Amino acid sequence: MPLLEPEPGALRPSGIRGPSPDRLPDRRAAGTPEPLRGGLTELLGARKVLWKASDLVRYASDASPYRFVPQAVVLAEDLDDVSAVLSYARGHGRDVVFRAAGTSLNGQAQGEDVLVDVRRHWAGAEVLEEGRRIRIRPGTTVARANAALARYGRVLGPDPASAAACTVGGVVANNASGMTAGTARNAYRTLSSLTFVLPSGTVVDTADPLADEELARAEPALCRGLIEVKREIEADPALASRIRAKYEIKNTTGYRLDAFLDGTTPVEILRGLMVGSEGTLGFLAELVFDTLPLHRAAAAALLFFPSLPAAAAAVPLFNGAGAAAVELMDGNTLRACAGTAGAPAGWAGLPKDTTALLVEFRAPDAAALAECEHRAAGIVAGLDLAAPVPSAAGAFTRDPAVVAGFWKARKAFVTAVGGARPPGTTLVTEDFAVPPARLAEACAALLDLQAEHGFDTAVAGHAAHGNLHFLLAFDAARPADVARYGAFMDAFCRLVVERFDGSLKAEHSTGRNMAPFLELEWGPAATALMWRIKRLVDPEGVLAPGVLLDRDPGAHLRGLKTIPRIEAAADPCIECGFCEPACPSSDLTTTPRQRIVLRREMVRQPPGSPVQEALLDAYGYDAVDTCAGDSACKSACPVGIDTGALMKEFRSRRHGPLEERAAELAARGFRAVEAAARLAAAAAGAAAGATGGRLPAAATRGARRLVRPDLVPAWLPQLPGAAARTPPATRRSGAAAVYYPSCVNRIFGGAPGDPGPSVQEALVAVSERAGKPVWIPGDAAGTCCATIWHSKGYEAGNRVMANRIVEAAWGWTAGGLLPLVVDASSCTLGIAQEVLPYLTDGNRALHAELTVVDSVTWAARELLPGLRILRTADSAVLHPVCSMNRLGTDGHLREVAAACAAEVVVPADAGCCGFAGDRGMLHPELTAAATAREAQEVGARAFDAHLSANRMCEVGMERATGRSYRSVLIELERATRP
């Protein structure tokens, strides 16, 4: 047993409120049962089958109010795997659900039997015809696809608010649209072709000229049945007319019956049916889109009106003027958003009936935008606008920062209402559509209905398309609350259909919560056709039962998930999944959402239950140890949850007294620790050279077994040698700034064989050349930004070092008169922000007087204007550093790189490398998983320089790519060297 084993039971939840009605039963503690586990493993291999209870639980939640725990999870890697699973399911009477991002809002990504993950191995995009088309794999996010198109001035038609997280496969499967797509730019209208796998295993590429011939040979009954349905619809003018009318407004309820009117052959009909089919008719393996022009010129205004009717009356005016987006926020929404990101605190006092429209125009160039602005100004001049708060300027602006603020305010709807919901309540996100002319009436009716059933009243939405959104919160553990929700849904559906002839789902797709109401909207004849389509395509009912079609009138009330109280930092989580693309461990172990989902299941369990014990056994490695702790999840989370910080807290809980004391002693004696580490780096480098790396690798392996793998770093061949014992010579007199070399740059030098200069030498040199000399304090050794202790959860050591560095920095900078320039962005973040909670009151006052500046920001703001660029690289690839993103300074990194290279490429798949100080040495598999896609992109072409801004990130990227990364400051020194 390792000397410093984590404290047993330290992560066991306390304050449990009692077993939840939806807790996983004890019999599921062993995970996937036999013979299912053995059968899938034999078919696919053990690597592709997730079977532990923790695996099943973490895949049991999506962004919806539902929770269904699968029996097994399959990580399908290719079409052969998909076909094999479908064949197994048909042969053994199993059900299959496909899941990509899990951002769906109605339970479409959940199943109770075999769940197939089609995100992890299904990413990638190929731009075609100079961007006019793009071929996309289904696990690719919308944002990633648009990043590939941006250099061609093109964009996808669908633009869901979840673009950074949702996948293109999910967008097509749900016919999701967004702020501007409407009915003309959605997936149904812009999808050129697709390749799909039918439940029988038949693969169809709709772009293949022989597709119909091959399908007729493989599936003759299906082809005949589709054509029969087509003829029946065309022979019924009333039904055909009704179908056309239903899609004049946004509608994603049920199957796309207009596919039978738009398509002439079985393949063409199936191409239309697959859009919005929610995985109930087949697997979407590849998608080819016709793209649209990306209009980069934009102007927007946030206009306030005295009432809902006044705002609604303005919508058609802006639509007629060609507005790209017209978004509505009612008074309750505006007040709820007050003080959130992008929304002024003054909104809290807005009059009750105040309503706002966010209107945006987009154009290909400034001249065309000016014409839009002229039309918009004419409209605004005739409106009766309100100015209830100073921020209500009522004018259009092109300022990107202001426009971004408007959109933050609009998107704060979910943040404000979802994040502020009562603890322990489930969040339901609903959308519907009415004819745009009846927008104001529908808003008022909805607000009255919400109030009648005791729900908070608020509405927002895509006013240009009559598409409204609202949120409901209720406690699924309380039968009375579930009944209240059920009564509301019954009344709401009747309201939308019977009063407005609207769409029960405009862009979120049918899902489990609208399946029972399908016939209410479509009527018996059309609904019967949908059931017939399902039987034709999936006669054995293998795919996604209950997701789109369900004869149980109470199906929408089954599987509602409880939200038990957990740690306050994570309790507001709405399980939306927006955090997952930003998480470096998402393809290795767990994501931030899954870490929270697992925690909630622990709390659902009675103390000591077999399921709770199984989850705790897996949680240490899967959740705590393999979290990079970079807090990138917080930036992506709509309610601002920092799951990385929570994992650091959990690390702290697992420390025993001996381990905590050792960490504190290391902080107090850090000068000796630093010297020993530099000596070890030199010795390891020498030993590696003599033994080919075998000796240092063997030594660290033994130490890891003796102490604990999560405490002793593994030796990696890419680790640099030791830094020079003394820093470059500098003078305090005349210095423009104090330069604080981070401990990583005091311990490690350049890459093996790198002639230099070091980061310290480079920064000193370029500062001198720019006329902004810096001074390195002589007593920097023994100090640190405290991130070492903070990231590992060592409270006492963290406090020691946090207070030490602030006291030292205050003295070095003469009480804050000079800026403190730090040469590692993670250390800049540590000193500038992360030390604050651990400071004494006196040192917090000293900290307030400090100006902490990242070295790259120093170079961009202070040095570049005074430097002469003498030579540049032809091309450079840049690895952004996540801590710079948190600091808001990643633009400075690009600016400095652009001064050093004629072409600077930031990989579209760039993200946190997962190295996280030494975590990439503690768990090299974390960095390997985090960098895989970025490394593939980097390796696809040659670059003259590989640049970043943090030494350990550079080590991680070198390990991932096999190419030598160096600091952008070193490249700047080379570019300006006389």
Side-chain angles (χ1 to χ4, degrees):
M1 178 181 290
L3 292 177
L4 296 176
E5 189 72 7
E7 283 288 296
L11 299 184
R12 194 176 303 280
S14 58
I16 295 176
R17 70 176 185 181
S20 295
D22 60 338
R23 73 181 182 93
L24 194 67
D26 290 350
R27 59 183 170 77
R28 302 287 306 272
T32 301
E34 297 292 359
L36 178 60
R37 178 183 167 189
L40 290 175
T41 300
E42 182 180 357
L43 182 69
L44 303 165
R47 182 171 52 86
K48 298 178 184 178
V49 180
L50 301 181
W51 59 271
K52 295 186 301 182
S54 60
D55 295 324
L56 307 182
V57 168
R58 66 188 173 97
Y59 272 94
S61 291
D62 59 11
S64 78
Y66 297 99
R67 179 173 177 272
F68 293 99
V69 182
Q71 294 287 334
V73 176
V74 170
L75 302 176
E77 293 186 1
D78 50 34
L79 283 178
D80 288 343
D81 287 346
V82 172
S83 295
V85 170
L86 291 174
S87 176
Y88 180 88
R90 293 195 311 276
H92 293 81
R94 315 295 310 206
D95 304 329
V96 175
V97 169
F98 297 110
R99 177 189 176 109
T103 56
S104 53
L105 296 164
N106 300 308
Q108 301 98 307
Q110 295 184 47
E112 298 178 83
D113 200 353
V114 179
L115 189 72
V116 182
D117 182 315
V118 291
R119 178 197 64 83
R120 185 176 299 190
H121 299 292
W122 293 85
E126 178 188 3
V127 177
L128 308 170
E129 300 172 17
E130 294 297 308
R132 290 186 293 278
R133 291 195 305 153
I134 184 171
R135 177 179 289 112
I136 314 172
R137 304 193 77 206
T140 309
T141 65
V142 173
R144 174 64 179 84
N146 279 333
L149 288 169
R151 67 191 66 174
Y152 299 93
R154 308 290 292 184
V155 69
L156 292 176
D159 63 336
S162 57
C166 69
T167 62
V168 176
V171 165
V172 176
N174 292 285
N175 198 21
S177 46
M179 265 78 70
T180 66
T183 58
R185 294 167 51 121
N186 61 19
Y188 186 82
R189 299 298 177 194
T190 60
L191 189 66
S192 173
S193 67
L194 73 159
T195 299
F196 57 86
V197 184
L198 292 169
S200 63
T202 299
V203 179
V204 180
D205 177 0
T206 66
D208 185 347
L210 300 177
D212 272 297
E213 179 181 329
E214 294 173 356
L215 183 63
R217 191 161 45 245
E219 308 271 356
L222 171 59
C223 292
R224 286 194 303 271
L226 292 173
I227 294 301
E228 287 173 6
V229 173
K230 175 179 173 62
R231 288 171 180 163
E232 289 178 23
I233 291 174
E234 292 176 336
D236 186 341
L239 178 59
S241 176
R242 178 61 176 161
I243 291 170
R244 288 297 189 198
K246 287 295 291 177
Y247 295 108
E248 289 178 0
I249 62 174
K250 294 173 72 171
N251 191 326
T252 59
T253 313
Y255 292 128
R256 286 287 308 212
L257 292 181
D258 56 345
F260 291 95
L261 299 174
D262 296 331
T264 59
T265 71
V267 167
E268 290 177 0
I269 292 169
L270 283 171
R271 172 240 169 261
L273 284 174
M274 288 294 167
V275 178
S277 63
E278 304 175 53
T280 63
L281 299 180
F283 168 60
L284 310 183
E286 188 175 84
L287 310 123
V288 178
F289 276 85
D290 293 322
T291 65
L292 301 168
L294 172 60
H295 291 163
R296 300 180 189 274
L302 190 60
L303 307 174
F304 288 80
F305 295 81
S307 67
L308 253 173
V315 173
L317 302 178
F318 288 113
N319 283 347
V326 184
E327 297 289 299
L328 177 141
M329 293 173 279
D330 82 318
N332 292 334
T333 299
L334 293 167
R335 286 187 292 276
C337 293
T340 60
W347 286 8
L350 286 171
K352 176 179 181 297
D353 294 329
T354 302
T355 305
L357 292 181
L358 169 53
V359 184
E360 183 171 272
F361 287 86
R362 297 176 190 169
D365 52 46
L369 184 61
E371 294 180 12
C372 295
E373 290 170 325
H374 178 73
R375 293 194 299 271
I379 295 171
V380 170
L383 297 176
D384 180 21
L385 295 178
V389 290
S391 60
F396 280 82
T397 177
R398 297 186 184 187
D399 186 328
V402 176
V403 171
F406 290 160
W407 282 106
K408 279 185 179 180
R410 164 63 183 89
K411 293 174 181 178
F413 176 55
V414 174
T415 305
V417 181
R421 73 191 191 283
T425 57
T426 298
L427 184 69
V428 181
T429 305
E430 287 289 358
D431 90 304
F432 67 105
V434 299
R438 303 188 68 183
L439 181 71
E441 183 187 357
C443 285
L446 172 64
L447 295 174
D448 288 344
L449 193 66
Q450 288 174 313
E452 179 185 340
H453 289 270
F455 290 106
D456 290 340
T457 57
V459 64
H462 315 314
H465 309 292
N467 179 190
L468 297 171
H469 295 250
F470 63 95
L471 305 176
L472 304 173
F474 65 95
D475 188 345
R478 298 180 59 228
D481 246 21
V482 173
R484 179 167 64 101
Y485 168 66
F488 172 86
M489 288 300 294
D490 289 344
F492 164 73
C493 292
R494 289 196 306 272
L495 173 75
V496 172
V497 172
E498 295 171 0
R499 180 170 169 181
F500 295 103
D501 193 20
S503 306
L504 292 175
K505 283 295 178 185
E507 60 179 1
H508 294 169
S509 216
T510 313
R512 296 179 181 274
N513 63 334
M514 281 303 166
F517 301 99
L518 188 64
E519 187 169 329
L520 174 66
E521 175 173 341
W522 275 99
T527 304
L529 286 178
M530 294 183 190
W531 278 101
R532 188 168 155 194
I533 291 164
K534 174 66 171 174
R535 288 193 297 271
L536 280 169
V537 180
D538 185 16
E540 295 171 80
V542 168
L543 290 180
V547 164
L548 189 148
L549 296 168
D550 202 316
R551 299 191 191 279
D552 177 4
H556 60 302
L557 303 179
R558 189 176 76 88
L560 291 168
K561 66 184 172 190
T562 62
I563 304 292
R565 297 286 299 274
I566 58 170
E567 286 76 12
D571 200 51
C573 177
I574 57 178
E575 299 183 8
C576 65
F578 284 20
C579 56
E580 294 192 340
C583 178
S585 62
S586 61
D587 286 345
L588 177 67
T589 49
T590 57
T591 67
R593 169 170 61 178
Q594 291 173 339
R595 290 175 169 97
I596 293 171
V597 163
L598 287 166
R599 196 69 180 158
R600 283 175 170 163
E601 180 58 33
M602 292 180 201
V603 176
R604 288 188 185 98
Q605 297 290 322
S609 77
V611 170
Q612 188 184 79
E613 294 303 312
L615 298 184
L616 285 168
D617 285 347
Y619 201 75
Y621 175 78
D622 286 352
V624 181
D625 293 346
T626 52
C627 174
D630 63 350
S631 299
C633 49
K634 181 180 180 180
S635 300
C637 177
V639 293
I641 293 172
D642 189 345
T643 312
L646 179 61
M647 293 304 107
K648 293 172 187 174
E649 178 188 327
F650 285 169
R651 288 171 190 164
S652 179
R653 291 188 197 178
R654 294 197 302 168
H655 298 157
L658 177 62
E659 185 178 344
E660 190 70 35
R661 178 59 178 160
E664 181 182 3
L665 290 174
R668 295 190 182 282
F670 191 63
R671 180 184 292 270
V673 172
E674 178 185 331
R678 187 167 49 248
L679 182 62
T691 67
R694 292 187 300 275
L695 181 58
T700 56
R701 274 198 306 272
R704 284 161 66 83
R705 283 195 297 267
L706 178 65
V707 180
R708 193 168 98 215
D710 199 52
L711 289 180
V712 178
W715 180 82
L716 303 176
Q718 295 78 18
L719 284 176
R725 293 183 61 186
T726 57
T730 57
R731 297 185 306 276
R732 184 167 192 169
S733 175
V738 176
Y739 169 22
Y740 177 62
S742 61
C743 62
V744 70
N745 286 323
R746 301 196 305 265
I747 293 170
F748 292 112
D754 185 353
S758 67
V759 172
Q760 294 184 54
E761 291 166 338
L763 184 55
V764 168
V766 293
S767 297
E768 187 73 35
R769 287 173 201 159
K772 301 273 187 175
V774 293
W775 169 64
I776 300 176
D779 57 347
T783 62
C784 174
C785 64
T787 299
I788 296 173
W789 291 267
H790 177 66
S791 67
K792 298 178 186 299
Y794 291 120
E795 290 283 331
N798 193 5
R799 292 185 186 281
V800 168
M801 192 55 74
N803 285 280
R804 180 186 299 172
I805 185 59
V806 168
E807 292 167 2
W810 192 82
W812 295 332
T813 61
L817 291 178
L818 293 176
L820 183 75
V821 176
V822 185
D823 66 6
S825 57
S826 55
C827 302
T828 309
L829 179 68
I831 299 173
Q833 299 178 15
E834 292 180 339
V835 298
L836 277 168
Y838 306 96
L839 299 178
T840 64
D841 290 342
N843 283 340
R844 194 171 290 113
L846 299 185
H847 185 276
E849 299 181 27
L850 297 177
T851 301
V852 184
V853 181
D854 188 71
S855 56
V856 176
T857 296
W858 171 254
R861 287 180 176 173
E862 303 295 335
L863 304 187
L864 281 182
L867 290 172
R868 183 182 174 198
I869 304 297
L870 300 175
R871 62 192 65 83
T872 59
D874 289 336
S875 64
V877 64
L878 190 63
H879 173 70
V881 181
C882 50
S883 49
M884 295 193 76
N885 180 267
R886 290 181 62 194
L887 288 164
T889 59
D890 43 357
H892 297 147
L893 179 60
R894 293 185 182 91
E895 188 178 343
V896 176
C900 301
E903 178 195 16
V904 175
V905 174
V906 178
D909 286 314
C912 175
C913 67
F915 213 89
D918 66 351
R919 195 139 298 265
M921 293 183 281
L922 298 171
H923 298 287
E925 68 277 16
L926 173 61
T927 293
T931 56
R933 292 179 186 171
E934 182 179 356
Q936 185 178 18
E937 196 174 345
V938 171
R941 59 164 287 189
F943 294 96
D944 296 308
H946 300 75
L947 307 176
S948 191
N950 189 296
R951 191 70 196 96
M952 302 319 289
C953 295
E954 292 154 20
V955 171
M957 288 308 301
E958 182 172 341
R959 180 170 174 79
T961 64
R963 301 184 182 184
S964 180
Y965 275 73
R966 61 178 176 269
S967 169
V968 70
L969 298 174
I970 294 175
E971 190 66 15
L972 182 63
E973 191 283 328
R974 189 195 73 86
T976 59
R977 189 183 305 160

